[in-house]
Amino acid sequence: MNKKLLGVIGGMGPAATIDFMRKVVDLTPATRDQEHIPMLVLSMPDLPDRSTFLLSGGPSPFPALLSRLHTLEKAGATCIVIICNTAHYWFPQLKKAASVEMLSMIDSVAQAASAARLSKVGLLATDATVSTRLYQTAMAQKEIECNPPPDSLQKATMNSIYTYKGGDPVKARHLMEEPYQYFLQQHVDAIILGCTEVPLIMAKEAAQDPAFFLDSNKILAQAVVRWFT
Amino acid sequence: MNKKLLGVIGGMGPAATIDFMRKVVDLTPATRDQEHIPMLVLSMPDLPDRSTFLLSGGPSPFPALLSRLHTLEKAGATCIVIICNTAHYWFPQLKKAASVEMLSMIDSVAQAASAARLSKVGLLATDATVSTRLYQTAMAQKEIECNPPPDSLQKATMNSIYTYKGGDPVKARHLMEEPYQYFLQQHVDAIILGCTEVPLIMAKEAAQDPAFFLDSNKILAQAVVRWFT
C-alpha cells in the first residue's frame, strides 16, 4: 500500500467516530465508490477514560493511544487523526512519535474560527478539555476569546455528554439546553462543539444554522478532504 | 492485542460500511464507551468493481480482498466480516485463507429468514449477486423460495444502486419503486435488502416495517453482537 490512506484513532465514543466518517463521505466529491477516501479506522472504545485520568488520576490513556498509532502506521496509514477532542491533550507527544502526518482537530477548529473572522466563541466540551485549556490556548493564538460556561453549566454539559454515551440522546439534549441558552445570551459569534459527542447531541441546531456552530467532527472531516485532494 | 477485535473489510461503498457500524453500535447493549465492540475497519473504496468483473471481466477484486484480509489479521482482528454482498462470491476462498473466524452476510440472512419461518422472499441486489445465485442457493438450502425481479426491474434495481453510490439518494429511491411494488404484488413474505446500499435506499420503509425487510447490514450486525457477547 503506497497510496494515501487515512488512519483514524476512534471509538471514543464509537458513535462519534461514525459521525466523523459520515461527514468525510458526505464532503468528498465522489461519483462512484472508487473516488472515496480510503480509511483504516481503529474504533477501540476500551481506551481508559480521558477525563477521569486528567482530572482524578487512574490509568493513563497515552500508552493505548501510542499503540493504536503504531498499529495504524504498520497497517499502511499515511495520515492519522484522533476522533476525540480530550485525547488531543496527548497530540503533541503522539505527533512526535509518529512517522507519518497527523491532522489536529483542535488546530483545524482554531483555523476555521480564524478564517471566519470570529472574535468571541463559546465552548461545549468535557471538563478535561476545558481544564487543560486545549481550545482556550489554540483560540488565544488566533486572538479569539474562548470561554466555557460557568461551573454549574459546565457540570450540565459534562452530564449531557456522559448521558449521550450512555445511550440516552433525548435526555442528553435536554441537559445541554441551559449551557446552549447561556451562550445565546452571551452573544457569542459561534459555539465550539468541542467534544465529538456534542455534534450528535446538537445535530438539529447545527444542521439549521451551520455557521453558528464550530463542529469539531465536520471541521476535521473538511481538513481530511483537503489533505486527500 | 489478545482480546476480541472485529475486522471489517469495507468501503464498498463507504456509506454502507458506516450504516453497518451504526447498526452494530445501536444493537450493542452498552452504557459507556468501554462496553462497545472494538473494530478495525478497512474502508477501501478502490476495490475493482465486483459486478463489472463477474459479468464482463476486467481486474479481479480477489487479490485486493485477500490483501485486506491479511492486513486486518496482522493488525490483530479475531473475527472478520465483509460489508458487500456481491464480494461474498469470494467468501469461501477468503475463509479458507483466513486464520481467524469469519461471519458471512449471506449465511446470516439465510439463517434469519429460516428462523422467521419464511417461505418466499424477493431479492433486491446487484446483477452480479443475482447471477452468481448467492442468495438463491443459500435460501434453497433452507427450503425458501428466493427470486429477483424480472429482467427489466432488475435493471432498475441495478441503476438505483449505482445512482445511490453516485450521490443521488432521492433518484435512487425513485428508481427502486417499481421493483419494490413488484414484490408487494407478488405477496412475498419479505424482501432481502441484498446489496449493502439497499438498506440505505429503502431506509424509511425498513424502519416502518422491519419484519418485512431482511436488511443484510442489520442482520450481520446482529450476528456480530452475538459473536461478541
Side-chain angles (χ1 to χ4, degrees), chain A residues 44-55:
Chain A
M44 302 276 279
D46 60 343
L47 195 77
D49 192 87
R50 286 67 66 195
S51 291
T52 305
F53 171 76
L54 288 169
L55 299 174

Side-chain angles (χ1 to χ4, degrees), chain B residues 7 13 16 31 63 70-71 81-82 94 96 111 116 134 137 139 157 160 162 189 216:
Chain B
T31 57
H70 290 147
T71 297
V81 293
I82 307 171
L94 291 167
K96 206 172 278 179
Q111 279 159 25
L134 292 173
T137 306
M139 291 295 167
T157 304
S160 169
Y162 279 82
D189 299 329
S216 52

Side-chain angles (χ1 to χ4, degrees), chain A residues 12 47 50 65 82 84-91 94 134:
Chain A
M12 311 165 286
L47 195 77
R50 286 67 66 195
L65 285 168
I82 307 171
C84 173
N85 286 274
T86 310
H88 277 70
Y89 176 77
W90 294 277
F91 188 87
L94 291 167
L134 291 172

Side-chain angles (χ1 to χ4, degrees), chain B residues 130-183:
Chain B
V130 166
S131 71
T132 53
R133 300 188 60 78
L134 292 173
Y135 273 111
Q136 295 94 315
T137 306
M139 291 295 167
Q141 285 166 0
K142 305 282 186 191
E143 295 178 356
I144 299 167
E145 191 187 328
C146 171
N147 291 305
D151 284 357
S152 66
L153 299 181
Q154 176 56 37
K155 202 172 166 183
T157 304
M158 192 68 178
N159 278 346
S160 169
I161 293 166
Y162 279 82
T163 300
Y164 187 90
K165 284 178 184 282
D168 192 341
V170 175
K171 191 177 167 200
R173 176 62 190 83
H174 181 73
L175 286 164
M176 202 61 100
E177 186 60 18
E178 267 198 272
Y180 173 49
Q181 288 298 331
Y182 168 79
F183 284 129

Side-chain angles (χ1 to χ4, degrees), chain A residues 33-34 39 41 43 45 47 165, chain B residues 33-34 39 41 43 45 165:
Chain A
D33 282 2
Q34 288 75 7
M39 293 187 218
V41 182
S43 181
L47 195 77
K165 284 177 184 282
Chain B
D33 282 2
Q34 288 75 6
M39 293 187 218
V41 181
S43 181
K165 284 178 184 282

